[in-house]
Amino acid sequence: MGIINKQLIAPLQICSRAAKLLVSWEEIMKKYECPCGYVYDPAEGDHTQGIAPGTAFEDLPADWTCPQCQAEKDIFTEVD
Ligand SMILES: [Zn+2]
């Protein structure tokens, strides 16, 4: 019984892990918009401030500001 249960459960565990990874990837790749119209795209990063592509908005340094209007991160809003 023990072996059968493991065989049934293992693929399910892998699936739920993959699903979590997928969700977190979507979280990471969320775009944020500044009131000035600039959109931070994690896939591109921000080369003007040395931000590598793939950097989540949440992972930007606290002193990162909008490259267009120097607004702080706090006033950015999530883009759907
Ligand atoms: Zn701005």
Side-chain angles (χ1 to χ4, degrees):
M1 261 326 251
I3 291 164
I4 291 166
N5 279 343
K6 264 185 197 163
Q7 283 175 339
L8 285 172
I9 290 166
L12 282 176
Q13 285 176 335
I14 291 165
C15 274
S16 73
R17 261 183 230 153
K20 270 180 202 160
L21 275 176
L22 207 65
V23 168
S24 62
W25 178 249
E26 282 175 0
E27 291 286 317
I28 289 167
M29 298 316 272
K30 269 184 189 161
K31 294 178 184 178
Y32 283 80
E33 186 172 23
C34 180
C36 79
Y38 169 83
V39 175
Y40 177 75
D41 183 352
E44 291 179 17
D46 174 19
H47 65 92
T48 68
Q49 292 175 79
I51 306 298
T55 304
F57 185 77
E58 285 81 2
D59 292 336
L60 291 170
D63 60 355
W64 182 87
T65 55
C66 173
Q68 282 186 18
C69 74
Q70 279 74 53
E72 291 180 4
K73 282 177 70 181
D74 295 356
I75 66 166
F76 277 65
T77 53
E78 205 179 302
V79 179
D80 291 328

